[in-house]
């Protein structure tokens, strides 16, 4: 994962703001993003929590998370 890209996206947000992050934005494949997104949904991410319903894409018959809506921590 491109941690610098994630840090830059999170840093641009105001506390309490909802924003979207996707596999493409982080330069990740959808299967890799799916694994990371599931971790964030269980443990929260660095400086944010997940919110809403993840956007999924079907790849090889599996529904994989492609995009998440996040809420920046205060």
């Amino acid at each position: 994962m491109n941690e610098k890209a994630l840090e830059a996206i999170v840093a641009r947000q105001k506390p309490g703001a909802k924003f979207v992050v996707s596999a493409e934005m982080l330069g990740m494949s959808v299967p890799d993003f799916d694994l990371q997104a599931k971790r964030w949904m269980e443990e929260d991410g660095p400086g944010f929590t997940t919110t809403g319903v993840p956007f999924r894409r079907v790849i090889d018959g599996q529904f994989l998370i492609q995009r998440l809506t996040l809420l920046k921590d205060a």
Side-chain angles (χ1 to χ4, degrees):
M1 174 180 65
N2 186 342
E3 290 182 32
K4 298 260 185 217
L6 178 61
E7 289 174 10
I9 293 167
V10 173
R12 285 193 303 258
Q13 309 306 315
K14 294 181 182 180
K18 284 187 180 180
F19 61 102
V20 173
V21 68
S22 68
E24 186 176 284
M25 290 169 70
L26 298 178
M28 299 175 74
S29 68
V30 174
D32 288 341
F33 183 80
D34 179 75
L35 291 173
Q36 184 63 56
K38 288 177 182 173
R39 284 187 213 123
W40 289 334
M41 291 170 68
E42 291 175 7
E43 304 169 10
D44 293 329
F48 60 82
T49 56
T50 59
T51 185
V53 178
F55 177 82
R56 298 177 190 268
R57 179 176 167 192
V58 178
I59 298 178
D60 295 330
Q62 295 183 2
F63 287 91
L64 301 176
I65 298 171
Q66 181 179 4
R67 185 173 63 225
L68 274 178
T69 302
L70 308 174
L71 180 67
K72 184 168 180 176
D73 296 338

